[in-house]
Amino acid sequence: MVVRRNRSDQRTVNDRPYKGSYMKEIVLIKLGEMVLKGLNRRTFEDVLIKNIKYRLRDLGKFEIKIAQSTITVIPASDDIDLDDVCERIGEVFGIVTYSRACVCEKDFDDILAKAPVYAADALSEAKTFKVESKRSDKRFPYKSPEISAQVGGKILSAFPHLKVDVKNPDVIVTVEVRDYAAYIRYGTMRGQGGMPVGTSGLATVLISGGIDSPVAAYMMAKRGLKLNAVHFESPPYTSERARLKVEKLLSLVSRYAGSIEMHTVPLTKIQETIRDRCPEELFTILLRRVMMKIASRIADTTGSGALITGESLGQVASQTMYALGCTDAAASKLVLRPLIGMDKQEIINISRRINTFETSIEPYEDCCTIFTPKHPRTKPVLKFVEIAEREAELDEMIEQAIADTVVKTITP
């Protein structure tokens, strides 16, 4: 949760106002596993900074710089709402933690004066605290233990009700002395972690209106994949509201993954043909194979290196090991299934956290739910599936469906 702080307040300590109309606030961002990337690290950092700029682009102008595994986001004007900034930063992959911080001169008197003032809201309501110090600039004349001790003493004199607890404090006040300035912060917030979107390439997610596929998209974007999406519709069996529901889901995912190119493919004629010409128990697996073929073709034209699906092993008849083997045989791309070992409740928990669950359960069905067989084959044999597929003569219809695909860009 982001704590709102009025940046124009004149805070007082022991009835003495801090000099100046306000204390300059910035956001400090700590990086994740990309710090282990060796010679490629700079490339990952550049992509992350680009992604941060994209998410903050409509909030105002910022100076963004990186040093010593920390990104500093500095607002160019005093009217920028840091609550909004922190909310956006909290949705960017590649960030482990982030926090608002007060800027100090690299002067110990300035640090001592500002620390109890800046953290006053939290300290006044706490019972215990501790001070942590990090001296990245070794030219600063005071070592970390000395900084912590003197800042802690200053806080105790300003808030005599407090006690020091180094093991489990209510509030941790951190002082960082870095290359450009010194910073005081508290209330560190957890980021999304993962890798910056775009550092692992481009992949195409098969997106439905259900719970699973938006979560799969989120999880693969977290591993650095830029996303395209393929959605299949079957009017008049599926409604426009079903498609709009999927657009809304992608918009929610795009808060984390950036803009997503959505390809909507009509499948009505193909599904009717499968219904009329093929064994009922193979309806679902044949439809899944058609989807894989079309998605592979779209992936080829967009430069995607893989397909992403929301399948979980054994969840439904089309997601048994045997059915997935038949499905994969129709794909010409690597198929990524980030949910394959998860149960439904685990998937639901993630969907709630990323705010897609309530949209996913809206009652607008997608094409996967029509012409569903009463007794689907759970152990299909690929040879017989391919025979049924050839007899249905679907190739021309697949070409037409690809030609009739509608493309739309989805943004947060």
Side-chain angles (χ1 to χ4, degrees):
M1 180 179 70
V2 177
V3 180
R4 184 172 294 276
R5 305 169 190 167
N6 188 336
R7 303 168 68 235
S8 63
D9 279 352
Q10 286 191 352
R11 305 256 177 81
T12 61
V13 179
N14 292 343
D15 297 322
R16 288 179 288 118
Y18 178 77
K19 295 179 181 179
S21 59
Y22 67 90
M23 291 179 286
K24 178 72 174 178
E25 276 193 292
I26 51 91
V27 180
L28 292 178
I29 296 172
K30 305 298 182 180
L31 309 186
E33 60 189 276
M34 74 180 72
V35 300
L36 306 175
K37 291 301 179 181
L39 296 177
N40 294 325
R41 175 174 167 179
R42 184 62 188 179
T43 300
F44 286 80
E45 292 174 345
D46 288 344
V47 174
L48 177 56
I49 291 173
K50 178 182 176 181
N51 292 346
I52 292 171
K53 288 180 178 178
Y54 172 78
R55 290 296 283 125
L56 300 182
R57 67 196 186 284
D58 60 333
L59 296 182
K61 294 183 178 181
F62 300 86
E63 180 186 0
I64 300 177
K65 54 189 178 182
I66 184 168
Q68 300 168 319
S69 302
T70 299
I71 293 176
T72 307
V73 179
I74 306 170
S77 61
D78 299 329
D79 59 350
I80 293 176
D81 191 332
L82 283 192
D83 286 342
D84 293 339
V85 173
C86 287
E87 182 179 359
R88 301 282 183 89
I89 288 173
E91 296 168 343
V92 176
F93 290 128
I95 296 171
V96 174
T97 61
Y98 60 100
S99 52
R100 297 167 67 149
C102 169
V103 181
C104 301
E105 298 176 15
K106 288 203 297 187
D107 174 84
F108 205 24
D109 289 338
D110 195 45
I111 293 171
L112 290 173
K114 287 181 177 176
V117 180
Y118 182 68
D121 288 348
L123 294 171
S124 62
E125 298 177 0
K127 294 181 180 179
T128 59
F129 83 104
K130 79 169 182 176
V131 178
E132 293 181 347
S133 300
K134 300 179 181 180
R135 187 181 62 133
S136 300
D137 183 357
K138 302 306 180 184
R139 296 170 299 178
F140 193 72
Y142 296 89
K143 295 182 179 180
S144 296
E146 296 175 273
I147 297 171
S148 295
Q150 293 203 41
V151 171
K154 192 73 172 179
I155 289 174
L156 283 173
S157 66
F159 300 94
H161 72 283
L162 288 174
K163 293 183 178 179
V164 175
D165 184 345
V166 297
K167 292 184 177 180
N168 189 32
D170 296 331
V171 177
I172 299 175
V173 178
T174 302
V175 179
E176 292 192 37
V177 182
R178 307 185 66 83
D179 289 347
Y180 303 106
Y183 305 98
I184 299 164
R185 59 182 174 86
Y186 66 95
T188 298
M189 293 163 278
R190 292 190 63 83
Q192 293 293 323
M195 302 297 295
V197 170
T199 55
S200 296
L202 176 68
T204 297
V205 59
L206 282 72
I207 187 85
S208 71
I211 296 171
D212 301 339
S213 54
V215 174
Y218 164 86
M219 292 183 68
M220 295 315 303
K222 186 174 182 177
R223 297 312 307 157
L225 283 173
K226 174 72 176 169
L227 301 178
N228 283 339
V230 176
H231 172 62
F232 299 94
E233 63 178 4
S234 294
Y237 304 105
T238 59
S239 67
E240 182 184 8
R241 286 197 167 188
R243 176 178 52 77
L244 293 175
K245 171 185 172 181
V246 172
E247 290 183 8
K248 182 178 179 182
L249 286 170
L250 285 176
S251 181
L252 293 169
V253 172
S254 73
R255 293 176 66 91
Y256 306 93
S259 61
I260 301 172
E261 191 176 82
M262 174 180 170
H263 300 251
T264 302
V265 184
L267 279 189
T268 305
K269 188 173 181 180
I270 292 174
Q271 287 193 269
E272 290 175 339
T273 302
I274 291 174
R275 177 198 62 189
D276 296 339
R277 298 182 184 177
C278 301
E280 181 184 1
E281 67 271 15
L282 297 180
F283 282 0
T284 302
I285 193 66
L286 289 170
L287 178 62
R288 295 294 296 172
R289 282 174 58 84
V290 168
M291 291 177 172
M292 284 296 193
K293 289 182 178 182
I294 293 174
S296 294
R297 290 277 299 279
I298 292 173
D300 281 336
T301 61
T302 59
S304 291
L307 304 180
I308 303 168
T309 74
E311 291 154 321
S312 171
L313 187 64
Q315 184 172 219
V316 294
S318 64
Q319 297 177 18
T320 65
M321 180 174 63
Y322 309 96
L324 293 176
C326 289
T327 299
D328 280 1
S332 62
K333 294 288 182 181
L334 170 68
V335 181
L336 302 173
R337 295 185 171 95
L339 313 186
I340 194 67
M342 300 176 68
D343 64 35
K344 196 66 178 183
Q345 190 57 54
E346 290 174 306
I347 299 169
I348 289 173
N349 290 345
I350 297 174
S351 73
R352 289 186 184 277
R353 179 163 55 83
I354 65 175
N355 201 32
T356 57
F357 179 76
E358 295 300 329
T359 301
S360 291
I361 62 174
E362 290 177 0
Y364 305 118
E365 297 183 335
D366 58 52
C367 66
C368 295
T369 60
I370 64 176
F371 307 146
T372 304
K374 293 181 180 179
H375 303 289
R377 186 71 60 88
T378 58
K379 295 184 178 181
V381 177
L382 179 59
K383 177 176 67 175
F384 299 119
V385 171
E386 290 176 335
I387 291 172
E389 193 174 73
R390 285 195 297 270
E391 292 177 348
E393 299 179 335
L394 300 173
D395 289 348
E396 288 188 11
M397 286 175 272
I398 289 175
E399 294 297 328
Q400 189 60 50
I402 293 173
D404 294 338
T405 295
V406 176
V407 181
K408 181 177 182 178
T409 299
I410 307 296
T411 57

